[in-house]
Amino acid sequence: MVSELAQYNIHEAKTQLSRIIDRVEHGEVVVISRAGHPVAKVVPLADVGRRTGRGSLAGRISYTDDWDSPETNAEIAADFGMLP
């Protein structure tokens, strides 16, 4: 059985936006209509990888011993036309 998409007219969509977003966040697709004719579809975004906060890359990044040396910083400045 195919479930029917939730449908709101534009006025309802404006007044019920929070409810519509909640439904979409839970995987539903919502259609917005004008004068009974569908004009837009609100769909959930594809799940993207999210960082979990500070330190989420711990153990995945390594630095060379001279990563913050004056010589390295001068090279980077020169690359960007910012010679001291």
Side-chain angles (χ1 to χ4, degrees):
M1 179 175 141
V2 177
S3 64
E4 199 169 310
L5 298 177
Q7 188 166 338
Y8 292 83
N9 67 41
I10 290 178
H11 176 72
E12 288 176 316
K14 288 193 291 186
T15 60
Q16 301 289 326
L17 182 59
S18 294
R19 182 173 293 160
I20 291 170
I21 297 301
D22 187 56
R23 291 178 77 161
V24 171
E25 285 179 326
H26 287 90
E28 290 187 52
V29 174
V30 175
V31 173
I32 309 296
S33 298
R34 175 181 285 136
H37 293 73
V39 294
K41 187 187 303 183
V42 184
V43 298
L45 289 175
D47 200 18
V48 294
R50 300 181 196 276
R51 291 185 60 185
T52 57
R54 293 181 180 216
S56 64
L57 296 177
R60 297 183 189 184
I61 297 176
S62 61
Y63 300 98
T64 60
D65 291 336
D66 66 342
W67 75 273
D68 195 26
S69 69
E71 295 82 15
T72 300
N73 290 334
E75 288 177 27
I76 293 170
D79 288 344
F80 288 92
M82 302 170 59
L83 294 174

